[in-house]
Each structure stands twice: as C-alpha cells, then as structure tokens.
Amino acid sequence: MDFTFLLQLLINGLVVGSIYSLVATGFVIIYKATSALNLAQGELLMVGAYVCLDLLTKHNVPFFQAILITLVFSALLGLAIERVILRPLIGSHLISVIMVTLGLGSILKALVQIAYGTNTIPFPEVFPSAPVQIGPIPVSQGYLYALACVTFLVAALTLFFKYAKAGVAMRATASNQQVALSMGISVKMMFALAWSIAAVVSAVGGILLGTIRGGIDMSLAFMGLKVLPVVILGGLDSILGAIVGGVIIGVLENLSGGYLDPAVGGGAKEIAPYVALILILMFKPYGLFGKRKIERV
Amino acid sequence: MQCGDFKTSYAADMTIFDTRSTRIWVFLLVCLIFSAPLYSSNYLLDVANRIGIAVIGAIGLNILTGFTGLISLGNAAFMAIGAFSCGFIGIRFGLPFYLCIPMAGLITAGLGMVIGIPSLRIKGLYLAMATLAAHFIVEFVVVKWESVTGGVAGLTMKTPAIGSFALDSDRKLFYLIYLVAVASIFFARNLFRTKPGKAFIAIRDQAISAEVMGVNLLKYKLLSFGISSFFVGVAGALAAYQAKIISPETFPITVAIDYLGMIIIGGLGSVLGSIFGAIFITLLPEVLRLATTSLSSSFPALVTVFSSLKDLVFGILVIVFLIYEPNGMAARWYAIKNYWKLYPFSH
C-alpha cells in the first residue's frame, strides 16, 4: 500500500464526505429547529437529483437554469411536506415523527420509481471530465467542482445563520421556542423554512452525487441513512459537527474500503460508518460538538 | 340489558374476556381459524401463514416499542438472527423443528439483549439509530459468516417433521404457525397483567418515576428486549420454514419498516392492535395485487408499477393514521365497540 493510494483514498473520502456534510447539514437544521428526526433526507436528495436529470435530458434546459428550477422545486416540496405532514404532528410522540418521515420516504421513493423506473439512468456530463494533476495523483475535475460547490453552500448557510434576520430567528427558535414566539418570531414559519432549506441542500447533494457518479438510481435514497453516523459523530444539533463529521465519515469509509475490503472480501466500506455510529453512541453519545443534554435513564 | 360498564373488583377489571358472550365468540373464532385449512385454497393459506407470522413478530415489536417505549428499527435483523440460527441448528445438529424454533428464539433473545445494552445509556432517537446500525451490522455478518449462514447463496431449510409426518405444505405449516401465534397472543395479553409487564409500561410512561417506584430499569429494559426478541426470533424461524430458502435478502430494512407500520396502524401498546396491524399490512399488497390485475386490462401500466404502488399506499396509510388516528385501529375498534355496547343510551 503506497502513499499515492492513501492519498487517493483521502481525496475520494474528502469529496464524498463533503457531500455527506451538506446533506447532514440539512438533517441537523431540521433537528435543531423542529426536533424531528428526518429519515426521509435520502429520498429528498433522490427527488432533487431526478428532477434535475429530468430537466436536463428530457426538456433540454441549460444546466444553471435546471439547477435553479430544481432548487425552487425542492424548496416548495419542503414547504409542502412541513405544512401537510409535519405540522399536524407538532408535539406528538417521537416515534410518530420518526415513522411519519419513514412513510414520507416510502411515498417519495415510490413516486420516483413510478416516474423513472428502477434502472440506473446516466447523468449528463456537466463538469469537464479531464482529470487535473494534483501532486502525484490525477483528480477528476468533477470532484473539485463538487467540493467547491459544497464549500460555497456551507459558507453561505453559515453566513445566513449568523447575519440574516431569518437565520437569527431560526437560531432563536432552536434555542427556545417560547421566547422566540414572544419576540414576535413565527415559529411555524421557521419550521417551514427549516424543511425548505433541508430539501434544497439535499437536492444539491443529489445533483452533485449524480454528476460524480455519472448516473443515478434508487440507491441514492440510502444516502439518507449514511447521514445518521455523520450527525451522531458531529453531534445532532451542531452544524459545525455535521460538516466535520461528514468529512471524517467520508474518509473513514474510503479508508476502510481501501484497506479492509481486500481482507474481508468487500462490504467493509458500507459497514464501517455504522460500526462507528455504535461506538460513538456507546462512548460519546453527544458527539463531537453536540449539546450535552442526553438523559441517561 | 347492560346499561353501563360496572366493575366491582380488581379481578373483574383485569379479566381478558369479560363477558360470557366474548368467551363464546373467541372460542368460535379460534375454531374457525383452526378449521380453515380444511376448506381454504393454497393461496389463502399462504397469505394466512404470513399473517400468522406477522402477528407474532408484530406482538414482539409492540412489547418493545409500544409497551416499553424503546424504538427499534432492528426488527428485520432480529428476524434474520432467528431464521438463520434456526436453520443452522436444524442442519448442523439435525434437531427437530420443535427444538430448533425455541432455541432460535432464545438465541435471538440473547443477542437482542446484547443489542439492547446501549438502551441503558441512550434512548429515543439515539436508540432508533443504534438499532438501525445494528441492522446493517447483522446484515453484514449474515453475508460474511458463510460457514453458518451460507453467505450470499443462503440456507435451504430442512423440512420440519414430527417423526415421519412432514410439515411440507402451507396447509400443514398452518397449524404450527397458528398454535404459536395463539400462544403468543395469550402470553402477551397475560404479560401485561404481571409485574414485568406493568414495569414495562411504567418505563414507557415515565422512566424516572418508574425508577423511583422501585422498577429496576436495567433489569426490565433488558427483559423487554429479551422477550420481544424471543417473539421476533420465533417469527423469523417460522418465516424461514415457510420460505424454505433464506438468504441475506430475505430480511431487508423494509421489513423492519413494515413491522413498525403494523404496530403504528394497528395501535402502539395494544396486543389487539398488533394483530389488526399484522393482518392489515400483510393483506395490503394482496389486495393491491388483486386490484392491479383486475384493472390491468384497461391500465396495463399498473402491473409494472405494482411494487412501487405498494410502497406508495403504505406510506400514505402510515401518515394518515399518524395524523388522524395516532392510537391505531385498536383504539377505533374499542370506540366502536363501546358505542354499540350501550347503544342507544350511552351514558
């Protein structure tokens, strides 16, 4: 195992991990604002990717317009989901909220399957494919663009939460709903905004994954389950944690894929994040940056 | 005529079948169930067997999730553990099925308690995630541990037999499955009249108060995991006997979601609800299949989207139940029953 191989794995891990970070950010935003565990995050990602693909291939929309339309669509989808499904369940038991997102995931997956079938559909080449030489290893340009996109989006979200009025209002809602209400913040609006942001970042993640992989299929939905180790590692209510956790899990996944897979005969890449999840829950359940408020009963 | 629901003793309040007519009806129902193989078609018996297995599994999951409040997404993994340990014991040691099934249940109970250990430190959504992770790890182990599970190719189950009498068809398996199912129902109903069952409910409602009242959380949470996993493991073993060949793909994560759907739609924390939910969710694809095939002449596209259609209807039903009837079909059933019991003077 030489150094180049390790470096290649690290770069792959970094890129995939950055997309995990992005999707995990959406997850954390929903959890922070509404304390709902969104297990349909992967399906939102898949819907975004398919909608963009549809626009690109069937309607020949130029790439940037296609992305814009996809994002608007995702934002509206997020709003609709919050209004129709999640709002009636405010204040109900945790298992209801978990189960409702599982039901939502089931619906979205079925709709995509009915509309597009189960086969892998090639994703049109958006970024130039010629690899760039970084040090000793060639890196696909798509990876670099994806990394840049994620960095830009995460930076934009960070600024939004720090300076924009709506962002500050969302943080206020997350920290104390009653106080936020009494300050004139519409908590319902914040919930809707959280879902809409989460749907948008998931859609971007889906599009990026589509371009990197060169094709999309139903397995994109599993990305939502990949996000769970990420958010547990980072701390469920920390956006910084989601970013750091995403990169760590991405790298961990690729390293175990590179070094453990030959030893066990495949499958280690898929399982490593979940083993990490269990270990983190056993030893540091609030994650790296999470608030330490777990009840021990 | 009864004009109100009056109980004068605790024992009367705790009886399972409170009136003479209920007892007669239940007896008739049991007779009807056990005579079903005499006149039902093979297809109906196949569906009935799957319902029976689902009832056992759903009761198991409901004990853990509905009664103790520990959310588990690992139900499919527990079923896989039960199925593969049953198959392995049967093939390697040549034991008859009536020893294999309880042993599979015990193995699943043991492993379930191990998986349940994190529940002592974490709860709620953290436990849901831990059990989800456990599912993927179990799936991985099933694929990799070829000497026991047969790896990707899977295991071919030995035909269960009593002496020379082989339970080789759905018609014969029916009695086995329904004996276990009826026993499970009675066990579960009685469990919640005993100290452990009440401790489970206390843990669900208020864990800290339960501890203050002298409920040992460590003991009872693990016990709940153990009992629940025993049921689920037995359901897995029976499912293996029915399927005859089991592979890592027999118990995907969607099975766990289906079981959660059963107890949500049927009713969390209700044995009757588990039964309703199991029947409902198992019948759902069959009814949809009937509908799609009968409509396929006018809409041929329907057949190709059948499996997605099932997911779609499942998702919609789960959401509709959660929003409009969060206590499930069991609650509706009791409401209707109480309405008619005192009709037309319900006060």
Side-chain angles (χ1 to χ4, degrees):
Chain A
M1 300 292 170
D2 51 326
F3 183 64
T4 330
F5 183 61
L6 175 67
L7 215 58
Q8 188 79 53
L9 288 177
L10 284 179
I11 288 183
N12 285 356
L14 185 67
V15 172
V16 176
S18 69
I19 295 176
Y20 289 167
S21 301
L22 190 62
V23 183
T25 311
F27 190 95
V28 168
I29 289 172
I30 290 182
Y31 180 74
K32 248 175 107 96
T34 72
S35 7
L37 194 68
N38 177 20
L39 290 181
Q41 194 80 22
E43 280 78 6
L44 286 175
L45 178 150
M46 183 177 69
V47 168
Y50 271 97
V51 168
C52 185
L53 177 82
D54 196 72
L55 288 168
L56 283 174
T57 53
K58 290 199 185 133
H59 303 282
N60 294 319
V61 183
F63 186 61
F64 280 101
Q65 280 92 318
I67 285 200
L68 215 59
I69 298 173
T70 313
L71 297 191
V72 171
F73 172 81
S74 292
L76 293 177
L77 180 69
L79 288 179
I81 290 171
E82 196 279 334
R83 183 69 194 87
V84 177
I85 298 177
L86 269 301
R87 198 172 293 176
L89 287 179
I90 288 179
S92 57
H93 196 262
L94 176 70
I95 183 170
S96 310
V97 182
I98 290 183
M99 200 57 211
V100 90
T101 58
L102 284 173
L104 173 68
S106 185
I107 293 177
L108 291 178
K109 220 182 327 188
L111 288 177
V112 168
Q113 219 165 353
I114 290 172
Y116 301 101
T118 48
N119 296 333
T120 306
I121 307 176
F123 208 86
E125 207 166 82
V126 180
F127 303 121
S129 57
V132 187
Q133 205 71 21
I134 297 183
I137 46 169
V139 180
S140 148
Q141 279 194 41
Y143 276 25
L144 297 178
Y145 280 110
L147 201 58
C149 278
V150 172
T151 318
F152 170 75
L153 213 64
V154 167
L157 274 178
T158 314
L159 290 177
F160 171 76
F161 281 116
K162 201 148 173 74
Y163 297 111
K165 202 171 173 186
V168 177
M170 274 187 79
R171 280 196 291 148
T173 312
S175 100
N176 192 325
Q177 283 182 16
Q178 248 145 38
V179 176
L181 264 175
S182 67
M183 299 300 284
I185 295 169
S186 163
V187 171
K188 282 177 185 168
M189 197 83 98
M190 291 306 127
F191 282 15
L193 192 60
W195 271 90
S196 160
I197 292 178
V200 167
V201 293
S202 310
V204 174
I207 297 169
L208 291 178
L209 273 175
T211 57
I212 288 181
R213 289 185 179 177
I216 52 176
D217 54 23
M218 305 304 290
S219 69
L220 275 185
F222 279 106
M223 206 47 82
L225 300 180
K226 275 281 166 58
V227 161
L228 299 179
V230 173
V231 292
I232 290 288
L233 173 62
L236 258 181
D237 50 5
S238 158
I239 292 180
L240 176 67
I243 296 165
V244 177
V247 174
I248 295 179
I249 293 288
V251 169
L252 169 80
E253 195 186 62
N254 273 279
L255 286 183
S256 47
Y259 291 109
L260 291 180
D261 265 358
V264 298
K269 186 176 177 185
E270 280 69 38
I271 206 71
Y274 297 107
V275 177
L277 191 161
I278 299 244
L279 292 177
I280 299 159
L281 281 180
M282 295 279 241
F283 297 109
K284 203 169 161 56
Y286 33 77
L288 294 174
F289 302 98
K291 224 187 284 171
R292 304 185 179 210
K293 57 163 188 189
I294 286 183
E295 289 172 75
R296 288 222 180 73
V297 286
Chain B
M1 195 179 113
Q2 200 178 7
C3 60
D5 201 10
F6 305 116
K7 301 280 169 56
T8 49
S9 69
Y10 185 64
D13 197 33
M14 293 305 289
T15 31
I16 293 177
F17 305 120
D18 52 350
T19 61
R20 194 187 159 82
S21 54
T22 337
R23 265 167 259 157
I24 294 171
W25 279 115
V26 169
F27 177 73
L28 287 177
L29 183 68
V30 171
C31 289
L32 180 74
I33 289 174
F34 280 97
S35 63
L38 302 178
Y39 46 79
S40 301
S41 70
N42 283 335
Y43 167 72
L44 279 181
L45 285 173
D46 167 58
V47 176
N49 282 351
R50 279 188 280 133
I51 289 177
I53 292 166
V55 166
I56 302 165
I59 288 177
L61 182 63
N62 221 338
I63 290 174
L64 185 64
T65 301
F67 284 102
T68 322
L70 303 169
I71 302 170
S72 164
L73 285 164
N75 211 47
F78 291 144
M79 284 188 84
I81 293 172
F84 281 100
S85 47
C86 179
F88 177 72
I89 295 168
I91 292 166
R92 174 65 63 88
F93 304 109
L95 292 178
F97 76 90
Y98 46 82
L99 290 178
C100 288
I101 294 177
M103 281 172 80
L106 287 177
I107 291 172
T108 318
L111 282 172
M113 280 155 101
V114 173
I115 293 175
I117 289 174
S119 73
L120 310 171
R121 283 199 60 167
I122 55 179
K123 63 176 224 172
L125 52 95
Y126 291 89
L127 185 63
M129 292 197 194
T131 49
L132 185 71
H135 169 89
F136 288 112
I137 293 171
V138 167
E139 216 172 39
F140 178 75
V141 170
V142 167
V143 172
K144 292 295 160 199
W145 199 3
E146 283 180 17
S147 56
V148 170
T149 64
V152 186
L155 272 187
T156 307
M157 300 292 290
K158 264 179 36 176
T159 309
I162 308 169
S164 60
F165 180 72
L167 302 174
D168 51 1
S169 66
D170 275 324
R171 205 170 294 273
K172 291 169 188 160
L173 270 176
F174 182 93
Y175 288 102
L176 171 64
I177 289 171
Y178 274 80
L179 273 178
V180 179
V182 169
S184 311
I185 294 167
F186 278 88
F187 177 85
R189 273 309 288 266
N190 279 306
L191 175 65
F192 296 101
R193 308 203 294 174
T194 62
K195 188 184 174 199
K198 287 179 179 161
F200 294 165
I201 296 174
I203 291 174
R204 174 193 68 189
D205 291 343
Q206 243 330 317
I208 294 169
S209 319
E211 195 167 25
V212 173
M213 301 290 281
V215 173
N216 184 343
L217 291 186
L218 172 80
K219 184 175 147 195
Y220 284 106
K221 276 188 174 181
L222 283 187
L223 189 63
S224 175
F225 257 101
I227 295 177
S228 156
S229 313
F230 183 84
F231 276 81
V232 179
V234 168
L238 290 171
Y241 278 128
Q242 205 208 358
K244 295 191 177 75
I245 298 171
I246 45 173
S247 76
E249 276 100 56
T250 316
F251 303 102
I253 184 74
T254 45
V255 170
I257 296 176
D258 277 355
Y259 272 94
L260 273 176
M262 283 178 202
I263 62 170
I264 296 262
I265 289 177
L268 284 170
S270 155
V271 176
L272 187 66
S274 323
I275 303 170
F276 283 157
I279 296 173
F280 191 83
I281 295 290
T282 320
L283 283 183
L284 176 68
E286 305 304 326
V287 172
L288 281 178
R289 200 191 313 274
L290 268 179
T292 45
T293 40
S294 59
L295 286 174
S296 60
S297 51
S298 31
F299 304 99
L302 270 180
V303 179
T304 52
V305 298
F306 168 72
S307 71
S308 339
L309 209 60
K310 189 222 134 196
D311 287 347
L312 184 68
V313 175
F314 174 80
I316 293 174
L317 277 172
V318 164
I319 291 176
V320 165
F321 264 94
L322 281 171
I323 293 177
Y324 295 106
E325 185 52 279
N327 296 323
M329 290 162 85
R332 238 333 111 87
W333 165 261
Y334 286 125
I336 293 170
K337 212 168 100 174
N338 282 337
Y339 178 78
W340 284 109
K341 206 173 193 175
L342 304 175
Y343 184 84
F345 306 111
S346 56
H347 287 292

